[in-house]
Amino acid sequence: MKFYCISLKKNITGKTKYGREYYDYDKGIMTFVSPMQTLSLEGPHMETDRSASGFALFIHPDFLSGHSLSTMDKDYGFFSYSVNEALHLSEKEEENTIELFLKIAQEYESTDQHSRQILLAQIELLLSYCNRFYMRQFETRKVHNNSIIDKLDHYLNNHFDAQDSLRVGIPSVEAIAEMLNVSTHYLSDLMRSMTGYNTQQYIQNRLLEKAKEYLHKTDLSVAEIAYLLGFEYPQSFNKLFKKKVNLSPLEFRRSFL
């Protein structure tokens, strides 16, 4: 499709395939698809199943030209979430969302000079609500999300303790997301919601904790520590450490003398 698609689906008996993944819709949930993604519906009675209901809003990128929403897929990370990271709505959230869809549909029938401006404002409001709903979903799934963070901590501990960075470098966000079986955008939004840091910042914080441990408890040189942590150049390590700690690695070490 050449369109953004924002959809609310209920009671669909078939399966939706997004890329290589499937999702069963047994309750009201929202999904967000960026342009040029492959979306298909598969099932024995998809066209005749009258229990299926919902809304789908298709937006061509040209309609967003010149507006802040023109970078919608970058500003709203959930357009890059996987299908198994869809937004599950509460009853009240679903009512509010349907009301917005209906208002957009009503405005779409208008043809005066204010229609585009109003439609863009309504779409932006819808997306802002979805941001709020996702934050609520992160909170209500705290137990599950904490298990993801625990797995991430376990992975980073093993990575740095085994000095894997010396061999493969600093763990990338992409590699960690794949290991945790989540999308990179979903993981960063989840981490920001739960810890106040995105995934990259969280990795850097854990890396700096290990760096401080080396500086305090070993006689390794700053260059040796940099290589152990996965830096190709010690200067990059020095720059990051100074930026985050407000001390150079040597200044930090001397503070313990």
Side-chain angles (χ1 to χ4, degrees):
M1 301 188 302
K2 296 182 179 180
F3 295 81
Y4 289 97
C5 179
I6 305 170
S7 57
L8 168 63
K9 306 179 181 71
K10 296 182 64 175
N11 306 318
I12 293 182
T13 56
K15 294 182 178 180
T16 295
K17 187 177 183 182
Y18 185 21
R20 296 181 179 179
E21 299 185 62
Y22 290 91
Y23 201 94
D24 289 307
Y25 293 101
D26 56 355
K27 60 180 69 175
I29 67 173
M30 293 190 71
T31 54
F32 308 84
V33 179
S34 296
M36 306 311 295
Q37 298 296 317
T38 301
L39 183 66
S40 61
L41 297 176
E42 300 178 9
H45 306 293
M46 290 301 294
E47 295 183 1
T48 58
D49 184 5
R50 298 188 179 273
S51 65
S53 62
F55 298 84
L57 174 62
F58 295 88
I59 309 164
H60 196 281
D62 289 352
F63 184 71
L64 308 175
S65 180
H67 190 271
S68 60
L69 287 175
S70 60
T71 55
M72 189 158 63
D73 54 342
K74 296 182 178 65
D75 297 334
Y76 297 92
F78 41 76
F79 278 98
S80 299
Y81 288 179
S82 297
V83 290
N84 60 329
E85 298 155 353
L87 177 59
H88 295 250
L89 301 177
S90 69
E91 184 176 347
K92 183 63 177 177
E93 289 169 350
E94 186 177 318
E95 290 175 2
N96 290 340
T97 303
I98 290 174
E99 183 178 347
L100 276 171
F101 270 116
L102 291 173
K103 285 182 177 179
I104 290 171
Q106 181 180 2
E107 187 59 39
Y108 178 73
E109 299 299 326
S110 302
T111 55
D112 61 38
Q113 67 269 29
H114 301 290
S115 297
R116 180 174 180 269
Q117 180 181 354
I118 293 173
L119 279 170
L120 289 169
Q122 290 172 330
I123 293 169
E124 193 165 24
L125 180 60
L126 174 61
L127 294 173
S128 295
Y129 270 114
C130 291
N131 255 338
R132 170 188 281 179
F133 298 159
Y134 258 115
M135 291 304 103
R136 183 272 309 155
Q137 182 162 295
F138 289 142
E139 182 65 26
T140 55
R141 295 185 174 185
K142 184 173 287 188
V143 172
H144 171 70
N145 294 338
N146 280 335
S147 72
I148 291 179
I149 296 176
D150 288 342
K151 290 178 183 176
L152 172 55
D153 283 335
H154 181 72
Y155 173 83
L156 292 175
N157 286 336
N158 288 342
H159 185 89
F160 291 126
D161 289 344
Q163 298 181 353
D164 286 345
S165 290
L166 184 62
R167 177 173 52 86
V168 298
I170 300 170
S172 69
V173 174
E174 292 75 16
I176 287 176
E178 183 177 358
M179 182 271 298
L180 295 172
N181 196 32
V182 294
S183 67
T184 56
H185 282 85
Y186 184 86
L187 179 60
S188 279
D189 288 346
L190 182 154
M191 295 298 296
R192 191 180 292 108
S193 171
M194 301 292 290
T195 70
Y197 302 101
N198 63 31
T199 312
Q200 185 65 50
Q201 292 167 335
Y202 193 82
I203 294 170
Q204 289 179 349
N205 290 342
R206 295 302 306 277
L207 182 150
L208 290 171
E209 288 175 12
K210 193 65 180 179
K212 291 176 182 178
E213 181 182 328
Y214 282 137
L215 289 165
H216 179 44
K217 296 182 179 180
T218 75
D219 294 325
L220 294 169
S221 69
V222 172
E224 288 173 325
I225 293 172
Y227 293 133
L228 280 175
L229 293 174
F231 288 89
E232 187 175 357
Y233 303 104
Q235 298 92 320
S236 300
F237 169 63
N238 277 276
K239 184 177 180 180
L240 175 65
F241 196 96
K242 183 69 178 288
K243 179 181 178 182
K244 297 292 185 180
V245 185
N246 292 323
L247 293 170
S248 71
L250 284 177
E251 289 171 337
F252 180 82
R253 171 172 274 169
R254 292 191 192 109
S255 68
F256 291 97
L257 300 177

